[in-house]
Amino acid sequence: TGKVAEAAEAAAKAAHLHPWSKYQYKAGLLLQNAGRYEDSITYLKAVQEPYPGYERTGFLLGFAHQQAGRNLEAIESYQDYLGRKPRDSQAQFNLAYAYLGQGEFAKAVEGFRNVLDLKPAYYEAHLHLSTCYKKLGDDKKSQEHSKIWERRRGE
């Protein structure tokens, strides 16, 4: 019905009434859909701890931490998730972006390169590679990636 906030509340109530992993996961997911990232963490942790490979819990947990401004926790969650799902290009991108947010530019470069290996058309990675190389003092590579980004953005 498009009532995201109400759906999130209903899922949270269901998760409290019955601590089944499926309900906990759904509550975490719907709370994120409602923009309530901080609230989603409790539910996602309730799934992640006993069932670390359940659905995309690790990814969602990383995203919640990232949205809450906790890059170190996000990095840990993404690394754990990617240990099981290394070909998830969005998780690779988010991990690289978290490294960028921490000022770990060399690790961010490696992450964005992983993204492009998995999904060459993920052009936003070039934008962030340009930033990382600039911060690392490699103006030539920075400009190369900036040009790719600008060319693709205009399409």
Side-chain angles (χ1 to χ4, degrees):
T1 62
K3 296 181 179 179
V4 178
E6 290 88 345
E9 283 303 316
K13 285 180 185 175
H16 281 294
L17 291 172
H18 192 302
W20 190 28
S21 294
K22 185 175 182 176
Y23 292 163
Q24 300 292 322
Y25 179 82
K26 195 66 161 180
L29 177 63
L30 290 173
L31 284 164
Q32 282 195 18
N33 290 345
R36 294 174 53 192
Y37 301 103
E38 190 73 44
D39 293 338
S40 75
I41 292 171
T42 301
Y43 296 99
L44 295 169
K45 281 185 174 180
V47 177
Q48 180 74 4
E49 289 167 6
Y51 307 107
Y54 189 84
E55 301 279 336
R56 294 187 82 207
T57 304
F59 173 82
L60 293 173
L61 191 54
F63 189 70
H65 284 304
Q66 204 164 21
Q67 294 300 307
R70 293 194 301 271
N71 282 328
L72 292 176
E73 289 94 336
I75 288 168
E76 185 179 320
S77 293
Y78 288 134
Q79 287 174 332
D80 182 60
Y81 173 75
L82 287 164
R84 285 183 296 285
K85 304 280 186 179
R87 300 198 52 80
D88 187 322
S89 60
Q90 188 60 55
Q92 290 282 358
F93 182 90
N94 290 13
L95 173 61
Y97 195 77
Y99 280 132
L100 176 62
Q102 284 299 110
E104 295 186 49
F105 304 115
K107 287 182 180 181
V109 164
E110 181 183 341
F112 289 123
R113 289 202 162 285
N114 287 342
V115 171
L116 291 171
D117 287 344
L118 293 169
K119 191 174 179 182
Y122 204 140
Y123 294 111
E124 190 176 345
H126 291 287
L127 171 67
H128 299 303
L129 279 167
S130 175
T131 300
C132 291
Y133 282 122
K134 185 79 166 168
K135 296 285 189 179
L136 291 169
D138 192 334
D139 289 336
K140 183 180 178 189
K141 284 186 181 178
S142 176
Q143 289 173 1
E144 287 172 11
H145 287 283
S146 181
K147 286 177 185 175
I148 294 169
W149 165 249
E150 289 296 326
R151 190 170 49 245
R152 294 301 176 172
R153 188 175 68 148
E155 291 179 355

